[in-house]
Each structure stands twice: as structure tokens, then as C-alpha cells.
Amino acid sequence: MKSLFSIFIIIISFFFNFKSVIAFDYAPEVGDIAPSFHLEGINKNIKSKKIWDSNELKGKWVVLYFYPKDFSAGCTLEAKGFSKLKKDFSKYNAEIIGISADKEETHESFCSEQSINYTLLSDPNGTISEKYGSWIPPYSDRNTFLISPKGEIVFRWISVLPINHAKEVLNVLKKNI
């Protein structure tokens, strides 16, 4: 019985990242101005662009999500969820941007192999992830922020479970329009 309980505790610990509680303390609050960013990245639909700046997004809704690593199971599930709903987000003047510590080359492979149709940015030192309370070295924690056209955080999800997350974000966006 003790070994069964121990196995249960170990399995549960895989689903919950207890370090992610730390991220909650430093994440910007609803109503705060979203921290700015200027990062290199990739968008397979805009091949000539290499640098993305948050100032270019004024006047649009932004779904800014942080995730640990390209090609991991949870990250792939989350990324594909946003890709499937990209047209729906676009109807509401919303841009989707994913940020992780992965390099642009890895993002490029990830976008090609998984048909990711939006921007992925590289934050190798966690500078921007840290501003959003999403940095647990050496990875970004799975947090999402809905940012208004005025640059204000309207909603946030801390330590996200990737399944159906994109639908949840879309539903909150619809309610805030």
C-alpha cells in the first residue's frame, strides 16, 4: 500500500510543476501595461521578418503565450491548438505569439513539421519571460496573457494545461470584445 501511494505521488508530481508557483508571484496583473519586447523569431508566413517588437502590435489584441520547449508533447499540443484556431483569432483582430528559450532554427523546424501558422519568438536568456513571471531557468513556464489593443493585460493564465487552452483563450477574447 505504501509503494502504491508513493507511485501515486510521483505520478501527480509530473503533472504539477511546483516551481511554477513562483512564477505567479512575479507575473503582471490584470490591468497592468504589458511589458514590452523586442525579440528575434520566425513566422513562416512572413519569411523576410526576423525581429518582432511589441510596439508594432498596438491596436491589435495579442495572445502572448510562453512555453517550455519546441517538439515536447504538451508544447506541440498547445501550439497546434492555436494554429487550428488562428483564423478565428484573426476575426477578432488578434495576433498569436509564442515565446520560448528555443533558437530560431528550432522554431523554424517546429513550425514546418507541425504546421504552426503564427509567430514564435526566441528568448534564450529568459529576459522577456522573466518580465512576465514565466522564467524558470532554463525554460519558460507555460503562462498566457491576453493583451488589449491599448497594451493592457486583460486576462492571464498561469501554469497552463495545454489541452483545449486555445479554445479557452478564444472564448475569453470573444467576451472582452
Side-chain angles (χ1 to χ4, degrees), residues 58-62 88-95 149 173 177:
K58 297 286 186 204
K60 293 185 173 202
W61 286 90
V62 177
D88 294 316
F89 280 100
S90 294
K91 289 177 191 173
Y92 294 98
N93 192 31
E95 291 289 327
L173 173 65
I177 297 270

Side-chain angles (χ1 to χ4, degrees), residues 2-173:
K2 285 183 181 179
S3 64
L4 184 61
F5 180 73
S6 297
I7 291 170
F8 175 75
I9 295 298
I10 290 169
I11 290 171
I12 292 297
S13 69
F14 284 115
F15 289 104
F16 296 99
N17 180 354
F18 294 110
K19 290 182 181 178
S20 65
V21 174
I22 296 168
F24 182 83
D25 293 338
Y26 300 106
E29 299 286 337
V30 169
D32 288 351
I33 297 298
S36 62
F37 61 83
H38 183 85
L39 293 170
E40 292 183 6
I42 181 120
N43 183 320
K44 69 179 192 172
N45 300 319
I46 313 170
K47 294 184 187 237
S48 61
K49 188 167 179 145
K50 300 294 179 200
I51 304 286
W52 275 261
D53 193 290
S54 55
N55 291 326
E56 298 169 352
L57 299 167
K58 297 286 186 204
K60 293 185 173 202
W61 286 90
V62 177
V63 174
L64 186 65
Y65 81 95
F66 295 85
Y67 66 100
K69 192 146 186 65
D70 291 339
F71 295 106
S72 64
C75 297
T76 301
L77 182 65
E78 184 176 25
K80 290 183 100 169
F82 280 116
S83 281
K84 287 178 186 172
L85 295 174
K86 177 151 185 340
K87 287 182 182 177
D88 294 316
F89 280 100
S90 294
K91 289 177 191 173
Y92 294 98
N93 192 31
E95 291 289 327
I96 303 166
I97 297 175
I99 296 179
S100 79
D102 292 305
K103 295 180 179 179
E104 297 88 65
E105 296 81 20
T106 307
H107 284 334
E108 189 168 8
S109 297
F110 186 53
C111 287
S112 294
E113 290 181 31
Q114 300 300 327
S115 301
I116 306 304
N117 56 5
Y118 53 86
T119 303
L120 295 181
L121 301 180
S122 181
D123 187 19
N125 299 318
T127 307
I128 303 306
S129 297
E130 192 168 351
K131 287 181 179 183
Y132 280 87
S134 300
W135 187 240
I136 301 175
Y139 304 109
S140 294
D141 193 14
R142 195 181 308 279
N143 297 333
T144 302
F145 299 86
L146 179 61
I147 303 168
S148 76
K150 294 179 183 176
E152 192 174 284
I153 294 175
V154 174
F155 206 91
R156 67 186 196 153
W157 295 261
I158 305 299
S159 296
V160 169
L161 293 175
I163 193 162
N164 293 321
H165 179 57
K167 287 180 184 176
E168 182 182 356
V169 175
L170 182 61
N171 288 335
V172 170
L173 173 65

